Amino acid sequence: MKPWEKNIRQVEPYVPGEQPKNGNVVKLNTNENPYPPAPGVEKARLAFSDDSLRLYPDPAASSLTDVLAEYYGLDSDQVFVGVGSDDVLAMAFLTFFNSELPVLFPDITYSFYSVWADLYRIPYERPALDENFRIVKEDYYRPNGGIIFPNPNAPTSLVEPLSFIRDILDHNQESVVIVDEAYIDFGGESAVSLLKEYENLLVVQTFSKSRSMAGMRIGYAMGNSSLIRALNDVKYSYNSYTMNRPSLVMGVEAVKDDAYFRETIQKIIKTREEAKSRLADLGFTCLDSASNFLFATHKRVPAKQIFTELKEEGIFVRYFNSARIDNYLRITVGTPEEMEKLYQALARYQ
Ligand SMILES: *Cc1c(COP(=O)(O)O)cnc(C)c1O
């Protein structure tokens, strides 16, 4: 070992889903939206002038926080934006989880949470989901240094009602509770409506899934203005200019076109509901997804085998080789045409 090597931070990084270089694949592995962003986004992209890239962007990203605040009926100082919700969540871990007590999140959930906790040396515990892959809310009724879970949860796809979130908040007035709503637009009720009542609640959303802009990297947090101020203080201690100019301009355009947003979501929901019955016919059991992906296990054929064989045919889905879920596939809802190719490939396992 070189002397300086002992000072290198040892981390086990998050492993994102594969982004195949070959474009000619059916890509159902990272929960991207199969439809393009709103037409206004493309127009804004084309109208973007090179000269404006010479200048730094607005460090407060006010154009985007303002339009989001208006959309959700909040004040501008209740919204924080970042480079995808991964950036927002990482910043939230750094800002809010500074207790000696463990942060709590489910054993089966977005696998980035434990990575950030390890990176920032935050203690954590992971209460197990029940045998139906549901979060057990009573597990969160104990002293803790913070709580975070996605709703709908990933990769299970299951959503909990607002009453469930409220129960967790009612039992946790002393730590920050973060609800990661990456998939809320595809089913379920946003906890944004609870912000008026709970000043320790932070709701995080993203443009990557329901707004078709994973490539642009925009995420946001909504909460009490004192939480948002704390996030900004950390951001300005780290990197003042997280949001580049094109992201700000195109993000605003995406929020403005609510009709397109709703229409796209409805298409995905329709395809998802069809997929539930088609996959059932093909021998799969799917959890009752409220998101833009399905969590499915086959009655006979191991998930890993299906994953590998689909990949050989250019159909990418996600497989997690970890306890309790290693016989499941996470399948993003694509276009009806993409799904048809999937069903055809799966027919041989019937
Ligand atoms: C996709 C996802 C995110 C991160 O998305 P960004 O692209 O970084 O906005 C966060 N949480 C969950 C649960 C996700 O599935």
Side-chain angles (χ1 to χ4, degrees):
M1 208 195 229
K2 306 263 184 346
W4 41 267
E5 281 180 319
K6 68 179 189 304
N7 295 329
I8 293 178
R9 190 177 287 257
Q10 300 291 325
V11 283
E12 187 156 346
Y14 173 77
V15 183
E18 198 173 336
Q19 296 294 340
K21 295 281 182 294
N22 178 359
N24 195 19
V25 300
V26 177
K27 194 170 177 310
L28 306 175
N29 68 334
T30 51
N31 296 345
E32 287 135 332
N33 196 308
Y35 300 106
V41 173
E42 170 74 352
K43 249 195 242 156
R45 189 177 69 78
L46 295 173
F48 204 80
S49 83
D50 285 348
D51 189 52
S52 63
L53 294 181
R54 197 172 55 77
L55 303 170
Y56 279 112
D58 169 17
S62 315
S63 55
L64 191 52
T65 54
D66 286 353
V67 79
L68 285 166
E70 194 190 330
Y71 187 83
Y72 291 99
L74 303 170
D75 297 329
S76 288
D77 62 2
Q78 292 186 276
V79 182
F80 174 85
V81 293
V83 187
S85 54
D86 286 341
D87 180 49
V88 174
L89 290 165
M91 207 86 79
F93 270 63
L94 189 57
T95 308
F96 301 117
F97 297 162
N98 291 293
S99 169
E100 312 270 282
L101 294 170
V103 168
L104 305 177
F105 49 85
D107 64 336
I108 299 168
T109 193
Y110 190 36
S111 47
F112 228 138
Y113 299 160
S114 58
V115 174
W116 287 316
D118 288 335
L119 176 64
Y120 296 132
R121 298 171 180 161
I122 298 165
Y124 59 94
E125 284 172 21
R126 294 183 285 189
L129 299 184
D130 72 12
E131 67 282 6
N132 300 315
F133 292 122
R134 289 272 171 196
I135 298 171
V136 181
K137 64 184 178 196
E138 290 78 9
D139 290 342
Y140 297 80
Y141 298 175
R142 59 182 163 111
N144 61 71
I147 290 174
I148 179 164
F149 56 91
N151 194 43
N153 194 9
T156 66
S157 75
L158 298 174
V159 74
E160 298 301 340
L162 224 44
S163 56
F164 175 102
I165 313 273
R166 191 184 276 285
D167 284 341
I168 288 186
L169 286 161
D170 284 337
H171 286 84
N172 286 282
Q173 314 274 310
E174 292 181 16
S175 55
V176 172
V177 176
I178 302 179
V179 184
D180 177 355
E181 294 189 334
Y183 302 103
I184 196 69
D185 297 322
F186 300 104
E189 220 181 318
S190 172
V192 166
S193 62
L194 301 180
L195 292 177
K196 291 190 287 297
E197 291 166 71
Y198 300 95
E199 51 185 35
N200 59 329
L201 168 64
L202 193 77
V203 177
V204 176
Q205 296 193 3
T206 176
F207 283 49
S208 297
K209 280 88 183 215
S210 55
R211 295 190 187 274
S212 310
M213 291 173 74
M216 212 60 230
R217 312 304 300 128
I218 306 174
Y220 51 107
M222 298 174 281
N224 184 280
S225 59
S226 57
L227 294 186
I228 299 303
R229 193 176 322 116
L231 274 172
N232 272 309
D233 285 348
V234 169
K235 180 193 107 157
Y236 286 117
S237 310
Y238 193 91
N239 175 3
S240 313
Y241 304 108
T242 51
M243 305 305 289
N244 63 57
R245 285 175 173 268
S247 291
L248 293 175
V249 174
M250 290 184 234
V252 168
E253 289 304 316
V255 180
K256 280 205 243 162
D257 197 342
D258 197 45
Y260 180 86
F261 171 65
R262 288 174 190 278
E263 185 190 311
T264 305
I265 287 166
Q266 282 316 312
K267 284 200 282 194
I268 291 168
I269 291 174
K270 181 160 179 276
T271 310
R272 176 186 77 204
E273 295 307 310
E274 275 163 18
K276 286 178 187 172
S277 73
R278 291 291 296 272
L279 289 170
D281 293 345
L282 291 164
F284 286 89
T285 304
C286 290
L287 302 194
D288 189 20
S289 172
S291 64
N292 70 336
F293 60 89
L294 293 147
F295 200 52
T297 185
H298 194 271
K299 62 182 178 200
R300 195 170 43 77
V301 188
K304 192 169 186 181
Q305 180 189 337
I306 301 176
F307 164 76
T308 308
E309 292 175 2
L310 284 177
K311 190 167 157 176
E312 281 160 12
E313 286 182 45
I315 300 176
F316 285 65
V317 298
R318 192 91 198 257
Y319 173 72
F320 299 96
N321 197 1
S322 50
R324 296 180 73 194
I325 57 170
D326 57 0
N327 202 25
Y328 281 80
L329 297 173
R330 194 195 68 188
I331 305 170
T332 306
V333 176
T335 61
E337 297 72 29
E338 289 171 320
M339 298 307 279
E340 208 54 57
K341 286 185 189 154
L342 173 74
Y343 307 142
Q344 273 168 29
L346 293 175
R348 79 174 89 113
Y349 305 114
Q350 210 171 345

